[in-house]
Amino acid sequence: MPRKNTKEEKQRIENFQRESKRSSRFLLAAVIVTVVILIFGLLLGNYLATSRLQKFQQSEEMFLVDLIALDFRESLGQNVCDIGLDGLWNDKVELGQMLTSLERRLGKDSPQLTTKREIYELIEIKIMQNLEDIKTNCHEDFNIILFFYTNKKNDQLGSAAGSEDQGLILDQINRDHNDLGQGKKVYILVFDINSQNPASLTLKQKYNITKAPSLVINGETHDYMVKDEIEKLL
Amino acid sequence: MAFPVLPQLPLWVVYPILIIAFFISFFYIIVLLAGKKEEPKAKNYFPEIAFVIPARDVQQWIGKCLYHIIKQDYKSKIYAVVVNDASHDRTPEIVKELAKKYNSRLREIIIVNRLKSIDKKAAAVNTGIRYVLKNLKSVEIIAPVDADTFIESDAIKKAMGYFEHDKNTMAVIGPLMPYNTEGFLGKMQYVEYVMSVFFRKLLHYSSALCVTPAFSIFRAEFFKKYGGYNENTWTEDFDMALKVKSKFYNIAQIDSKAYFVAPENLKKLNTERVRWAHGTWQAMFKDYNYMISPKYGAVGTFFLPVTVVLGTALIIAALLFLIYGVIAGATWFFHNLAIGWKPVLEFKISFFDVSVLLSDPRFILAAAGILVSVIFWFYAQNYSKRKVNLIHYLLFFIPYTWFLAYTQLEGLIRYIFKLKMRWGEMHTQRKLN
């Protein structure tokens, strides 16, 4: 430790501390600039994220318009077999990818996404109905898988980790069947088990879904299944 | 579960690292913009000076080192006191030959022999300092310089400007640049030193400079009052700088460079950097922890707590996060493989995905960080008057900075667990023994 200061040392310390005041101003300025840049970064990020949410909302609205138009076409007498769903399905997949991207950015529990996810699930239910119609009436041979998942950790309704694994297996099945053409075409529709939307609740009741992950493969309900088990049913 | 997985790191861990990195960077930018000081020129102060050169088995370099000292553009007497630290090679003979050749009225090479070396540079330097204080009473300036370091011809003249204009300046350092820049390590060390001499200059502008490396110049009175180098530390240079600052003196950096022989392989470089890290932690935890205080100006409020302690802790944390991230990623990879997922090499990214990625504040701040590092790259080249290849600069960040982070971690572990340390070979002919 420094010994007791002499007069000359006191003078030197005073000079040293005068110089230090200049450095303190630099430090203060650095703190201010850092805070400003951080706030700017956060605000800019929020602004850009909001604009992306708006873009997603627009896409969802356009999709809803297409679905309503589809309904009208059916009610006006056009045969569902003539309409086809490929274009609509591709748009739905794209919408799903946008939602996943936003979930990665804002978090799966983000309240900003709650309504958007509900609308997306309604879209899925509507598409599911159309797919079932086509399958029944047009004698087309494909598989419909409904996947009920949870994102919540420590969810009483099921396991988030198990849901993630099941999702990955379904991704692989989608790739094998739809991209690589290995086997019959598969349409996979995903639903949050915690969704309180009346339509989703009815869907869960219909298939007796009580936990996640759960699968409904061509109308039959199953618990978590490994890839080979699913493949046997397709 | 098919394969056990490690939980992934929460993404918020990036924020503390970014905040500290920004704070350090903006401090430097503000000093760069507002703190510049002109280098003072000496008009009347040209005292006698003694270089002290610790020399152990340095036959390859000692001649070049002495030549650069003798050829200094300086009008007063210069002594070159070579402390032969029990060399086994031709070092003493070479020094004697050079003394015969160069000794004159204004230049004098003196050899001081230590019969037994304790393998510590500080001990040899202290022998030289004691010799100067006892036998060369007219000497006012003492400049310890490593035997494998070669100084530019105007270094001493420039240093005298600082001593003449500020009586509180007790030490002046020369910016070090590697002499050997071949190979990957040579190039990385070159980039490292171009950057570090620039940052040291900024520390000098903010009175926070606290290093006295392989070429440093001191007022002799400092050694008379406070003694020489600490022989019980692994970083006697840093210890000496802290000693100077603890007595409320200033340290300045001249613009004339000194060139040193850099470690030429990873093992030597690792040994050197682990030693530095160990010595730094020793100084921070034990010998000079009291200096982390506003009483010691920007050294106590910025350099030691933020740059040395926090900056180093964060780079170690970043390294550990990286290692953990790679291991956790690998466990997920094998887990996913086990449940039937197949990896595919596909580049499918939409404009929407990219725009969402760009909206992440971490990405925005990282982009700002890249911009700041480009600014530093530009100004560091300007200051050192040396070009730095942009590719080398990128490689300096990855992987060289990770290597430096590792050496810090090893130094910290060795300090905490009191593990054995090595001085490492000097870049000399010791292997001839």
Side-chain angles (χ1 to χ4, degrees):
Chain A
M1 291 289 288
R3 62 194 161 76
K4 206 176 174 186
N5 299 327
T6 63
K7 194 181 170 187
E8 182 233 331
E9 278 173 335
K10 276 182 184 161
Q11 179 65 44
R12 193 169 69 242
I13 292 167
E14 275 174 25
N15 290 343
F16 187 90
Q17 282 168 349
R18 206 174 303 127
E19 185 70 14
S20 298
K21 279 185 185 164
R22 184 169 167 270
S23 308
S24 302
R25 285 198 289 273
F26 294 151
L27 274 176
L28 185 65
V31 170
I32 292 168
V33 175
T34 304
V35 171
V36 168
I37 291 287
L38 279 173
I39 291 172
F40 174 77
L42 292 172
L43 289 178
L44 181 63
N46 265 350
Y47 170 76
L48 292 172
T50 307
S51 88
R52 294 299 79 198
L53 277 169
Q54 283 170 351
K55 167 74 185 154
F56 178 75
Q57 197 171 332
Q58 270 178 2
S59 303
E60 244 181 7
E61 283 168 4
M62 282 165 65
F63 202 94
L64 285 172
V65 170
D66 287 347
L67 279 181
I68 294 166
L70 185 74
D71 256 4
F72 277 127
R73 286 164 75 186
E74 281 177 38
S75 58
L76 288 170
Q78 192 170 3
N79 189 340
V80 70
C81 304
D82 297 336
I83 297 170
L85 273 178
D86 281 353
L88 215 54
W89 176 260
N90 291 340
D91 289 348
K92 194 226 64 120
V93 169
E94 198 179 314
L95 203 62
Q97 284 166 349
M98 287 164 90
L99 185 63
T100 308
S101 192
L102 285 170
E103 280 179 341
R104 267 201 300 267
R105 162 71 179 86
L106 299 167
K108 287 180 175 170
D109 299 334
S110 168
Q112 290 169 289
L113 293 174
T114 311
T115 316
K116 290 172 179 58
R117 203 182 287 118
E118 279 195 16
I119 295 172
Y120 180 74
E121 284 191 359
L122 290 178
I123 289 171
E124 290 215 299
I125 291 170
K126 179 67 191 145
I127 289 203
M128 182 196 76
Q129 286 175 334
N130 284 85
L131 283 169
E132 281 172 349
D133 280 354
I134 290 173
K135 198 173 176 181
T136 314
N137 301 321
C138 313
H139 308 292
E140 283 197 29
D141 196 11
F142 55 76
N143 299 290
I144 301 173
I145 299 178
L146 312 184
F147 167 39
F148 292 85
Y149 69 92
T150 178
N151 280 331
K152 286 185 186 167
K153 282 176 187 164
N154 308 319
D155 190 350
Q156 286 182 337
L157 289 175
S159 148
S163 298
E164 202 161 321
D165 285 355
Q166 190 71 83
L168 209 67
I169 290 168
L170 293 174
D171 274 349
Q172 190 59 47
I173 286 171
N174 177 56
R175 196 185 297 151
D176 289 349
H177 284 252
N178 301 339
D179 297 347
L180 303 176
Q182 297 169 356
K184 281 193 280 185
K185 194 158 185 173
V186 178
Y187 290 97
I188 300 165
L189 299 138
V190 294
F191 301 93
D192 187 344
I193 197 163
N194 290 297
S195 174
Q196 294 304 310
N197 183 290
S200 302
L201 288 173
T202 309
L203 191 69
K204 279 189 280 181
Q205 274 174 0
K206 182 182 173 187
Y207 292 108
N208 195 23
I209 303 295
T210 53
K211 61 181 177 183
S214 285
L215 297 171
V216 179
I217 302 175
N218 297 325
E220 277 183 39
T221 306
H222 304 271
D223 291 344
Y224 175 91
M225 293 173 88
V226 297
K227 188 166 175 275
D228 290 345
E229 287 172 335
I230 299 172
E231 290 285 5
K232 279 180 194 162
L233 298 175
L234 302 179
Chain B
M1 275 204 184
F3 191 91
V5 290
L6 286 171
Q8 277 164 346
L9 280 173
L11 291 172
W12 61 259
V13 298
V14 175
Y15 280 111
I17 295 171
L18 281 173
I19 290 169
I20 299 298
F22 270 124
F23 175 62
I24 295 173
S25 302
F26 289 130
F27 177 82
Y28 283 129
I29 287 181
I30 289 161
V31 173
L32 180 67
L33 296 174
K36 202 171 176 185
K37 295 172 183 172
E38 287 303 311
E39 192 161 74
K41 284 195 172 75
K43 287 177 185 156
N44 306 308
Y45 188 66
F46 301 101
E48 288 191 1
I49 175 168
F51 283 86
V52 171
I53 306 136
R56 178 174 162 82
D57 301 338
V58 283
Q59 63 179 14
Q60 192 180 354
W61 307 113
I62 190 68
K64 193 172 175 71
C65 172
L66 286 171
Y67 177 82
H68 281 81
I69 289 170
I70 295 299
K71 294 295 174 188
Q72 280 295 300
D73 175 17
Y74 190 66
K75 61 187 179 187
S76 298
K77 177 126 187 179
I78 293 177
Y79 296 95
V81 178
V82 180
V83 182
N84 170 34
D85 197 16
S87 292
H88 297 89
D89 66 359
R90 289 193 66 249
T91 299
E93 287 79 15
I94 292 169
V95 174
K96 281 173 196 161
E97 283 162 24
L98 290 170
K100 270 185 207 163
K101 185 176 172 186
Y102 289 122
N103 280 3
S104 62
R105 188 175 65 82
L106 290 177
R107 301 289 182 263
E108 187 174 341
I109 297 171
I110 298 165
I111 186 161
V112 177
N113 286 303
R114 277 167 61 88
L115 298 177
K116 194 179 173 196
S117 171
I118 59 165
D119 208 18
K120 282 195 172 180
K121 192 182 91 177
V125 178
N126 284 341
T127 300
I129 291 169
R130 279 194 296 274
Y131 177 89
V132 174
L133 294 179
K134 190 177 171 193
N135 301 296
L136 309 172
K137 303 242 187 246
S138 54
V139 165
E140 289 182 32
I141 301 291
I142 296 177
V145 57
D146 285 358
D148 57 358
T149 300
F150 323 118
I151 56 179
E152 283 184 346
S153 61
D154 56 354
I156 293 303
K157 200 164 71 178
K158 285 192 171 172
M160 291 314 133
Y162 285 103
F163 287 128
E164 182 177 327
H165 286 85
D166 179 13
K167 64 178 180 167
N168 280 349
T169 295
M170 194 49 77
V172 175
I173 66 167
L176 288 175
M177 294 292 293
Y179 173 72
N180 45 333
T181 57
E182 301 84 25
F184 179 73
L185 273 188
K187 287 179 174 59
M188 290 301 99
Q189 288 181 85
Y190 170 77
V191 177
E192 182 186 11
Y193 279 91
V194 167
M195 300 310 292
S196 77
V197 298
F198 168 65
F199 288 123
R200 283 176 184 179
K201 192 67 182 180
L202 296 178
L203 287 170
H204 156 75
Y205 289 154
S206 58
S207 307
L209 183 59
C210 192
V211 281
T212 50
F215 169 48
S216 305
I217 309 159
F218 295 86
R219 290 185 199 270
E221 65 175 90
F222 186 80
F223 295 122
K224 281 182 205 162
K225 270 190 191 172
Y226 303 109
Y229 284 82
N230 182 354
E231 295 175 20
N232 297 313
T233 173
W234 293 99
T235 46
E236 71 289 339
D237 294 345
F238 185 47
D239 185 276
M240 175 55 77
L242 287 162
K243 193 165 159 182
V244 171
K245 296 303 281 191
S246 72
K247 309 296 177 196
F248 302 99
Y249 288 112
N250 293 332
I251 300 173
Q253 176 173 284
I254 49 171
D255 294 337
S256 300
K257 292 167 197 66
Y259 299 87
F260 72 103
V261 181
E264 68 271 24
N265 65 43
L266 201 60
K267 193 180 167 198
K268 284 181 188 175
L269 184 63
N270 184 61
T271 305
E272 178 190 81
R273 298 311 169 91
V274 169
R275 181 169 65 76
W276 289 2
H278 187 286
T280 304
W281 292 118
Q282 181 184 339
M284 287 299 89
F285 288 144
K286 191 171 155 232
D287 301 340
Y288 290 96
N289 52 7
Y290 66 89
M291 283 186 72
I292 299 178
S293 151
K295 189 178 165 189
Y296 294 94
V299 169
T301 54
F302 176 72
F303 180 70
L304 296 180
V306 181
T307 308
V308 176
V309 179
L310 214 50
T312 312
L314 277 175
I315 196 171
I316 290 174
L319 176 70
L320 294 176
F321 290 156
L322 179 78
I323 292 169
Y324 180 86
V326 169
I327 294 170
T331 63
W332 280 101
F333 181 81
F334 289 114
H335 169 83
N336 293 348
L337 279 183
I339 62 170
W341 169 80
K342 291 175 202 153
V344 257
L345 275 177
E346 62 177 8
F347 189 75
K348 207 164 66 182
I349 189 158
S350 67
F351 173 75
F352 188 84
D353 284 340
V354 174
S355 60
V356 170
L357 178 72
L358 292 177
S359 76
D360 191 327
R362 286 173 296 240
F363 188 89
I364 295 168
L365 294 173
I370 290 170
L371 180 68
V372 167
S373 66
V374 170
I375 293 171
F376 287 145
W377 173 66
F378 175 77
Y379 278 100
Q381 290 180 97
N382 244 3
Y383 170 69
S384 65
K385 297 182 179 65
R386 295 284 186 281
K387 287 269 170 228
V388 172
N389 183 311
L390 187 58
I391 303 287
H392 294 166
Y393 188 56
L394 294 175
L395 288 171
F396 169 72
F397 285 107
I398 306 167
Y400 187 71
T401 302
W402 294 116
F403 162 71
L404 295 182
Y406 164 75
T407 62
Q408 290 290 343
L409 178 64
E410 189 184 333
L412 180 63
I413 290 169
R414 285 183 181 277
Y415 174 73
I416 292 171
F417 296 104
K418 297 182 170 53
L419 300 179
K420 198 179 166 193
M421 290 286 297
R422 288 185 303 123
W423 277 94
E425 273 179 73
M426 277 185 72
H427 332 295
T428 63
Q429 299 295 300
R430 191 172 297 176
K431 53 177 91 73
L432 292 176
N433 299 331

